[in-house]
């Protein structure tokens, strides 16, 4: 894939990460609803991490690679 493709994937993944940070934790929910909520969060974070790893492996711009590495290590 072209570098543009991974740049778009990086932008989309960072947007997803910012959206995830804005999600509020469940309040006044029973155990089943809380479990479903945290399961969803876990799956989304794993998908975001996988996308960031793909971007890190394929990017050639050193500055962007460093930024992606910082996000992966955080």
């Amino acid at each position: 894939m072209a570098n543009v493709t991974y740049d778009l994937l990086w932008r989309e993944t960072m947007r997803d990460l910012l959206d995830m940070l804005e999600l509020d934790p469940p309040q006044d929910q029973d155990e089943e609803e809380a479990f479903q909520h945290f399961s969803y969060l876990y799956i989304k974070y794993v998908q975001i991490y996988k996308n960031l790893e793909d971007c890190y492996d394929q990017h050639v711009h050193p500055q962007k690679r460093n930024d992606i590495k910082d996000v992966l290590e955080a």
Side-chain angles (χ1 to χ4, degrees):
M1 288 205 253
N3 196 30
V4 174
T5 303
Y6 286 103
D7 189 48
L8 291 174
L9 178 62
W10 174 72
R11 290 173 193 242
E12 179 182 326
T13 303
M14 291 305 293
R15 191 174 313 115
D16 290 344
L17 183 60
L18 291 174
D19 290 343
M20 292 296 294
L21 294 175
E22 292 178 3
L23 287 178
D24 292 329
Q27 300 189 3
D28 298 333
Q29 294 182 345
D30 63 359
E31 286 186 27
E32 182 64 29
E33 290 175 353
F35 179 78
Q36 292 293 327
H37 177 74
F38 288 115
S39 297
Y40 169 76
L41 292 179
Y42 176 76
I43 291 169
K44 287 298 288 180
Y45 277 121
V46 168
Q47 290 172 343
I48 288 169
Y49 187 82
K50 182 179 179 276
N51 287 343
L52 285 172
E53 278 187 327
D54 290 343
C55 290
Y56 180 75
D57 288 340
Q58 300 299 322
H59 263 289
V60 294
H61 300 299
Q63 295 88 358
K64 220 175 250 187
R65 281 181 60 92
N66 286 337
D67 289 342
I68 295 171
K69 184 178 179 182
D70 290 342
V71 172
L72 284 171
E73 291 177 349

